[in-house]
Amino acid sequence: MLLGCIADDLTGATDLALMLTREGLRTVQTTGLPQDGLDLDEVDALVVALKSRAIPAAQAVDQSLAAAAKLVAAGARRFFFKYCSTFDSTDQGNIGPVAEALLERLDAEFTIACPAFPATGRSIYMGQLFVNGVPLAESGMRDHPLTPMRDSDLRRVLRRQTRGEVGHVAYDDVDKGAPAIRQAFAREKSAGRVIAIVDALNDAHLRAIGEAAVELKLVTGGSGIALGLPAAYRNAGLIGELTPPPSAIAAPAGRAAVLAGSCSTATRDQVQRAIEAGLPAFRVDPMAVADGSLTADTILRWIDRLAKTAIPLVYSSDAPKNVQAIQARLGRDQAGHVVEKLLADVAKALVAQGFTRLVVAGGETSGAVVNGLGVKALSIGPEIDPGVPWTRSLSQLDVALALKSGNFGSPDFFLKAWRYLQ
Ligand code: ADP
């Protein structure tokens, strides 16, 4: 195992694992710290998914160091700290402290910070992060409920979180290619900078940065910056041949279901399309769940009456104004919690009855389902749509899972996902 990765949330971890798989690394993802005995013989990269994005910095540091210790013990020689491509963090948090703590733990003096992901509209120019062409502080991230981003200059954002100085490798150097970038790293390091923000506007930049970063023990960034690392590690002789990404995944025989707890636009379109195509659908009313009149049992009895070949869709997805009305009555956390718990209970019961293929929509919802099922480790299979792979549990419980973060996937996602299963 070469590359040990620490991701600050679950769907971000999956996104990174998929990028590494696509670029040729055999990758396994764990939820939380890897358990002893996980077989890593045929694995090039291990991605540990934490839930550390919005917790206090000291806790994020502790969890990340614990993950690093496991990765070192598993034989990792290169390390990656993954955060969001919109650099989600507060002035009190977590990217700077975790990056500095990892540098110290790994006995390294310098790293880079590059959340750029041009394919998804995130680019960095002169240290400023743009989201679909709009400066970060003017994008929707300005009003994010947990991590409002009100400064587009990542050098300033990061410096407010670090003890050490923050440097910058600008477009001029990046565009010249790997040797110039490597020199710029050396220049920043000898000027005493601990972390440098690196500009990147396209995939060629990401590949050149990957090549230049091959000697860095620690790289930090979004999943975009992982694009260039596998080939760079291969060319540097750090790993053997690259492995072509899988085009299908062997899934255990059994029935399939869709569980949707996301209210994002993309998910609501997918629900609509699936209903139009004839998937039997059960709409979950959060108020009925909260007052106890709707339980997992009701849904299981409904599924029991369907044809054994049907793919049931259980969804709570709803329009923003209805979601707000529910939140006003139950409170946001309670509304989220009752729906997540119900869908996790349904997932558990379905798997106990022999369902083995689940599509789950929603980041928090996916976390609840994965925890409910007790799935600790996943192998990464084919990409269904950008950012969403099929995965297969490596735990005792053998299930195929597609964990879709809310806004991902084309409208026919719930209909076409099954094609990639063998
Ligand atoms: P996304 O990836 O789209 O953000 P998440 O699963 O992360 O989806 O978050 C959606 C949240 O909304 C979850 O906590 C879920 O339980 C909650 N939720 C789902 N349906 C409803 C609803 N109809 N009303 C209120 N909250 C809901």
Side-chain angles (χ1 to χ4, degrees), residues 261-264 286 316 318 323 326 335-336 339-340 362-365 405-406:
S262 152
C263 299
S264 300
S316 65
D318 208 341
V323 172
I326 297 283
V339 174
E340 285 167 32
E364 293 298 325
T365 308
S405 116

Side-chain angles (χ1 to χ4, degrees), residues 351-422:
V351 168
Q353 290 180 11
F355 280 71
T356 56
R357 300 148 180 231
L358 299 180
V359 168
V360 186
E364 293 298 325
T365 308
S366 293
V369 167
V370 164
N371 285 335
L373 293 177
V375 170
K376 303 280 187 233
L378 298 164
S379 66
I380 305 296
E383 182 169 38
I384 307 163
D385 267 328
V388 200
W390 271 108
T391 67
R392 184 168 178 175
S393 167
L394 293 169
S395 319
Q396 265 176 343
L397 187 78
D398 191 7
V399 284
L401 295 168
L403 307 172
K404 189 191 80 73
S405 116
N407 260 323
F408 283 7
S410 60
D412 59 348
F413 189 90
F414 297 158
L415 303 169
K416 74 174 184 189
W418 318 106
R419 272 186 229 149
Y420 301 86
L421 299 178
Q422 275 166 357

Side-chain angles (χ1 to χ4, degrees), residues 117-194:
F117 198 169
T120 61
R122 277 68 162 153
S123 53
I124 306 173
Y125 181 63
M126 295 301 160
Q128 316 282 314
L129 179 60
F130 292 83
V131 180
N132 295 319
V134 176
L136 176 66
E138 293 165 39
S139 74
M141 285 306 295
R142 191 183 160 72
D143 298 314
H144 190 280
L146 299 175
T147 51
M149 302 304 290
R150 302 255 162 114
D151 186 353
S152 306
D153 191 314
L154 297 185
R155 296 164 294 188
R156 286 193 304 244
V157 174
L158 186 57
R159 184 64 187 88
R160 288 194 288 268
Q161 304 176 12
T162 57
R163 283 178 283 128
E165 290 301 327
V166 171
H168 180 217
V169 177
Y171 168 83
D172 297 345
D173 284 323
V174 172
D175 202 46
K176 285 188 196 121
I181 300 170
R182 211 173 286 123
Q183 276 178 19
F185 290 171
R187 178 195 71 215
E188 294 299 304
K189 186 174 160 190
S190 60
R193 279 112 195 202
V194 181

Side-chain angles (χ1 to χ4, degrees), residues 6 8-9 50-64 81-84 87-102 146-147 149 157-158 160-162 195 220:
I6 301 165
D8 68 357
D9 85 338
L50 300 177
K51 200 172 179 345
S52 56
R53 183 170 296 168
I55 63 177
Q59 286 174 29
V61 166
D62 285 350
Q63 290 185 14
S64 304
F81 170 37
K82 155 78 173 70
Y83 38 80
C84 192
F87 215 69
D88 302 14
S89 54
T90 64
D91 288 352
Q92 289 72 45
N94 278 358
I95 296 176
V98 169
E100 287 188 309
L102 288 173
L146 299 175
T147 51
M149 302 304 290
V157 174
L158 186 57
R160 288 194 288 268
Q161 304 176 12
T162 57
I195 311 179
T220 86

Side-chain angles (χ1 to χ4, degrees), residues 25 200 350 382:
L25 298 189
L350 289 178

